[in-house]
Amino acid sequence: MINTQLETYKSFITHNLYYYQYFLYFFLYVRFLYSMTFFTLKKYNKFNNLDLYKQKYITKNIVKSFNLLILTIFTPTILYPVFVYNTWNNHYIYICGFFYSSNDLAALTYIKKLPVNTRNHHMITTVLSIVSVNIDYNNSILAKMLICYTLFSSLAFPVNTYLGVRYLYDKEKLVTFKKFTRNVYGVSLTLNWLYHITSIIYNFNLLGISHYLYFFCLFWIIKDDIILMPAINFIASYNM
């Protein structure tokens, strides 16, 4: 009995350490991209004329946009077996979750004075990705909602591009791109919320305390999403 418990505990630790190393590698990768991007942008006068906070803000958003694009390209690898075989690949999902949240963890360590809403958003996504590494996505409604939120959010990568480059170009030159990001963001949020609402309705009798804790965490993420919604014209004075 004791030996069995020890083996289970060892297996649990080994499993977590295996995936946490991906989190560490992704974090170091993002920080490396920050340095490379910052160094590249220093070649432009308009970037150099900004204060350090905005320089880091631009760098962070450009890097995150690039990484979310990568995640969007990788999304079919996860969704194909779901639609064809009704199977969720835990291994790929754990890695994708850490790849997504590593950007938020890196941002927390890169920019000291992030707004409260954004800081809460980044902290919650980081914690959720760490916890979810022990969930079987084939049998968990909550886990499926979590990964779908991650994937749908990745579709909005142009938003982060806009949030960064708006300080580098005149507003008149970004009008078309601004409208495009507004539409992309609207679609992303709509898909996210519809999936969550539908899942809640169809599985209401199966909801437990873990789901309500997730919804509580999700509230802070949604709050940050609403503040950033292009529908309110991406208020130029807003600093993330």
Side-chain angles (χ1 to χ4, degrees):
M1 182 74 172
I2 296 177
N3 289 335
T4 302
Q5 291 177 337
L6 288 174
E7 287 299 320
T8 301
Y9 185 71
K10 278 182 60 178
S11 177
F12 174 83
I13 296 297
T14 301
H15 171 85
N16 282 273
L17 290 178
Y18 173 77
Y19 285 104
Y20 290 161
Q21 70 177 336
Y22 282 101
F23 200 16
L24 175 61
Y25 296 151
F26 291 147
F27 171 79
L28 295 176
Y29 154 79
V30 174
R31 289 304 304 256
F32 173 75
L33 280 190
Y34 283 167
S35 299
M36 295 297 295
T37 304
F38 189 89
F39 176 76
T40 302
L41 290 172
K42 289 291 286 184
K43 298 178 182 179
Y44 299 92
N45 291 331
K46 200 158 188 177
F47 182 80
N48 291 323
N49 291 332
L50 299 171
D51 59 56
L52 183 60
Y53 176 88
K54 286 186 178 178
Q55 289 179 342
K56 287 189 172 184
Y57 170 78
I58 292 170
T59 301
K60 185 263 290 189
N61 275 290
I62 291 177
V63 169
K64 184 172 183 178
S65 177
F66 174 72
N67 287 332
L68 293 186
L69 171 60
I70 293 176
L71 191 55
T72 299
I73 295 173
F74 189 76
T75 293
T77 304
I78 292 177
L79 296 184
Y80 178 79
V82 173
F83 288 110
V84 177
Y85 305 111
N86 193 30
T87 300
W88 297 73
N89 189 311
N90 288 318
H91 176 67
Y92 286 156
I93 294 174
Y94 296 153
I95 293 175
C96 284
F98 280 137
F99 186 73
Y100 179 89
S101 61
S102 64
N103 291 274
D104 292 342
L105 178 61
L108 289 170
T109 64
Y110 187 62
I111 303 178
K112 294 182 179 180
K113 296 181 179 180
L114 283 169
V116 175
N117 286 320
T118 302
R119 187 171 68 249
N120 289 339
H121 181 156
H122 291 346
M123 290 174 63
I124 289 171
T125 56
T126 299
V127 171
L128 287 176
S129 67
I130 292 173
V131 173
S132 66
V133 77
N134 293 299
I135 299 175
D136 183 356
Y137 283 80
N138 290 283
N139 302 313
S140 173
I141 300 169
L142 186 154
K144 291 174 183 177
M145 288 191 285
L146 179 59
I147 188 58
C148 284
Y149 202 99
T150 299
L151 297 179
F152 285 137
S153 295
S154 298
L155 293 175
F157 66 88
V159 175
N160 291 96
T161 303
Y162 173 78
L163 289 172
V165 302
R166 62 185 170 143
Y167 290 111
L168 302 177
Y169 296 92
D170 295 332
K171 293 181 181 179
E172 295 75 17
K173 295 182 179 180
L174 294 175
V175 171
T176 301
F177 186 53
K178 179 179 178 181
K179 292 179 179 179
F180 172 71
T181 58
R182 176 197 62 197
N183 296 334
V184 169
Y185 203 47
V187 170
S188 172
L189 292 183
T190 299
L191 291 173
N192 253 324
W193 296 348
L194 282 178
Y195 180 83
H196 277 69
I197 292 171
T198 302
S199 296
I200 292 171
I201 292 174
Y202 279 93
N203 301 283
F204 187 77
N205 293 331
L206 300 176
L207 300 182
I209 185 64
S210 59
H211 298 89
Y212 293 112
L213 288 173
Y214 168 69
F215 298 148
F216 173 76
C217 294
L218 197 63
F219 165 79
W220 300 102
I221 297 177
I222 292 176
K223 183 180 179 182
D224 191 51
D225 286 339
I226 292 174
I227 291 175
L228 283 176
M229 282 184 69
I232 57 175
N233 297 319
F234 276 113
I235 300 174
S237 61
Y238 177 80
N239 289 319
M240 186 168 73

